[in-house]
Amino acid sequence: MKIGNIEFPKNPVFLAPMEDVTDMGFRHMCKRFGADMVYTEFVSSDALIRHVNKTQAKLSISDEERPVAIQIYGREVDPMIEAARICEEANPDILDINFGCPVKKVAGKGAGSGMMKTPGLMVDITKAVVEAVKIPVTVKTRLGWDNDSKIIVELAEQLQDVGIQALTIHGRTRAQMYSGEADWSLIGAVKNNPRMHIPIIGNGDVTSPEICKKRFDETGADAVMIGRGSIGSPWIFEDVKHYLNTGEKLPAKEFIWYLDILKDLILKNISYSGERGGIIHSRRHLAASSVFKGIPDFKKTRVAMLRTDSVEELFSIIDNIPAQFDMK
Ligand SMILES: Cc1cc2nc3c(=O)[nH]c(=O)nc-3n(C[C@H](O)[C@H](O)[C@H](O)COP(=O)(O)O)c2cc1C
């Protein structure tokens, strides 16, 4: 599978763009475990063209995470063109446009999945961005606005016709937000539409190697994208890729191995954002990590982990977990 000139291995698995999650430290970690492409958090085109420092910082990428996509969102043609050019200067491999974000502050203003209500404008913005930059442009979107307006099959053709080089589909409508189950049948319908020739990346509720394989098999998708299943569990990419490539599950590692990975992530985050910032960036991962699920009476430890802003204290809490629960 190729996007532009970028060649991917068989059954590629991508890290989904996630605000406040897919910062540089986490992207590096997912890359280390085999993610075939990573995305920045979404970046507001309006904030970019106003040169807001915090937004510009989100454009920082490094060679070791390539191929990497920068994702932008917005609701007007001209600011999106300008923002796309600013992003291109940051030298990503791909520029991705977000037409999927359901949150009110974005969709309510007509950007993100709000654009599902104005598909003509969505296509116009996409065409303008494709023409404004030399790097491949891709789109990430949903099935439609709500259950009565699942427009993705037709929309995919229109986006392809204006020159996008891949399309990611999250199998939910805007109205669903993150509730219910992702419906992959329409992702399959887009992939199997004989008019479509660009790669289709499927997304939604992939949390295990088995689910990932099932989604590839039943839709023929060119790649699968994993979001929430990776938060606090960057090793999911290694587990999934191993299963896809061999048909066998990687044996679980010792508990301490997972703790060491989380500590590595914390140290990485600290190296980018200082002690306090790095710890704050790491909290979401500590809160969500699959490795702590099902440990009895874990609440007190979890609260302590999420409260401290000293790395020494945090590591001491983490190092104590195996003894506390008699795990080695
Ligand atoms: C915390 C969080 C932040 C997200 N931020 C973005 C974003 O910046 N851009 C985007 O396209 N999607 C964003 N998403 C949506 C994910 O990329 C993905 O489409 C969605 O979570 C479904 O995939 P999953 O079931 O594997 O998590 C976000 C999701 C979460 C949970």
Side-chain angles (χ1 to χ4, degrees):
M1 192 273 270
K2 274 176 98 173
I3 302 178
N5 290 325
I6 308 162
E7 180 101 45
F8 292 94
K10 197 166 171 265
N11 296 331
V13 184
F14 296 169
L15 169 66
M18 286 182 282
E19 187 183 23
D20 288 337
V21 177
T22 56
D23 47 30
M24 183 112 81
F26 190 60
R27 298 198 303 268
H28 278 186
M29 218 61 186
C30 292
K31 203 82 202 182
R32 167 170 154 196
F33 287 107
D36 291 295
M37 181 146 79
V38 296
Y39 293 67
T40 64
E41 308 168 57
F42 71 174
V43 176
S44 154
S45 57
D46 291 340
L48 256 194
I49 63 180
R50 279 188 281 115
H51 304 291
V52 174
N53 283 346
K54 215 175 136 205
T55 306
Q56 277 178 322
K58 292 186 180 171
L59 302 185
S60 287
I61 51 176
S62 66
D63 281 340
E64 65 180 284
E65 53 182 314
R66 291 187 188 282
V68 54
I70 290 180
Q71 190 191 58
I72 53 170
Y73 72 96
R75 59 185 172 142
E76 286 173 310
V77 174
D78 289 339
M80 284 291 275
I81 291 177
E82 203 179 329
R85 292 194 175 125
I86 296 172
C87 290
E88 190 174 33
E89 277 171 25
N91 202 19
D93 299 280
I94 283 173
L95 180 64
D96 189 62
I97 310 178
N98 176 314
F99 292 130
C101 178
V103 304
K104 217 171 176 181
K105 69 171 187 197
V106 175
K109 292 183 185 152
S113 66
M115 205 59 80
M116 285 289 182
K117 284 193 155 173
T118 52
L121 178 59
M122 186 198 290
V123 173
D124 287 348
I125 288 178
T126 306
K127 182 171 188 286
V129 169
V130 166
E131 286 167 2
V133 296
K134 294 190 186 70
I135 52 174
V137 174
T138 59
V139 161
K140 178 169 179 283
T141 188
R142 291 186 172 225
L143 304 178
W145 178 259
D146 61 17
N147 210 20
D148 299 325
S149 59
K150 292 184 178 168
I151 57 173
I152 191 63
V153 173
E154 206 189 329
L155 181 64
E157 290 186 8
Q158 293 170 357
L159 292 168
Q160 174 178 269
D161 289 346
V162 295
I164 62 164
Q165 304 212 24
L167 175 66
T168 304
I169 306 167
H170 174 193
R172 285 189 173 85
T173 61
R174 191 278 169 173
Q176 279 180 290
M177 306 291 284
Y178 290 95
S179 68
E181 267 178 40
D183 170 9
W184 281 68
S185 62
L186 280 174
I187 299 174
V190 173
K191 175 62 203 167
N192 296 306
N193 174 358
R195 272 265 283 120
M196 295 301 293
H197 54 78
I198 56 171
I200 302 300
I201 303 152
N203 168 239
D205 300 346
V206 173
T207 51
S208 72
E210 291 91 337
I211 297 175
C212 192
K213 181 169 181 343
K214 186 165 178 269
R215 296 315 188 195
F216 268 115
D217 289 348
E218 69 192 11
T219 61
D222 298 281
V224 165
M225 178 183 273
I226 300 181
R228 289 165 296 175
S230 70
I231 303 178
S233 312
W235 49 80
I236 192 173
F237 292 99
E238 187 174 68
D239 292 343
V240 163
K241 301 247 358 163
H242 184 84
Y243 186 70
L244 292 172
N245 291 333
T246 65
E248 281 171 21
K249 286 190 76 170
L250 261 186
K253 315 278 196 302
E254 296 199 1
F255 184 63
I256 255 171
W257 182 89
Y258 298 99
L259 299 184
D260 283 343
I261 301 299
L262 292 175
K263 282 163 66 182
D264 272 2
L265 176 62
I266 294 164
L267 289 176
K268 237 181 203 311
N269 287 339
I270 288 174
S271 76
Y272 291 121
S273 311
E275 182 166 353
R276 190 155 184 281
I279 288 175
I280 289 170
H281 276 263
S282 307
R283 283 188 185 148
R284 183 165 220 144
H285 297 283
L286 294 171
S289 182
S290 56
V291 75
F292 300 128
K293 298 235 160 88
I295 299 184
D297 304 323
F298 193 65
K299 193 166 167 207
K300 215 170 131 201
T301 309
R302 186 188 306 277
V303 169
M305 268 196 313
L306 301 183
R307 193 167 279 166
T308 178
D309 46 21
S310 136
V311 67
E312 207 183 324
E313 190 184 350
L314 180 55
F315 277 19
S316 136
I317 297 167
I318 293 175
D319 288 339
N320 261 318
I321 295 173
Q324 199 181 341
F325 298 103
D326 200 27
M327 292 181 187
K328 297 246 159 52

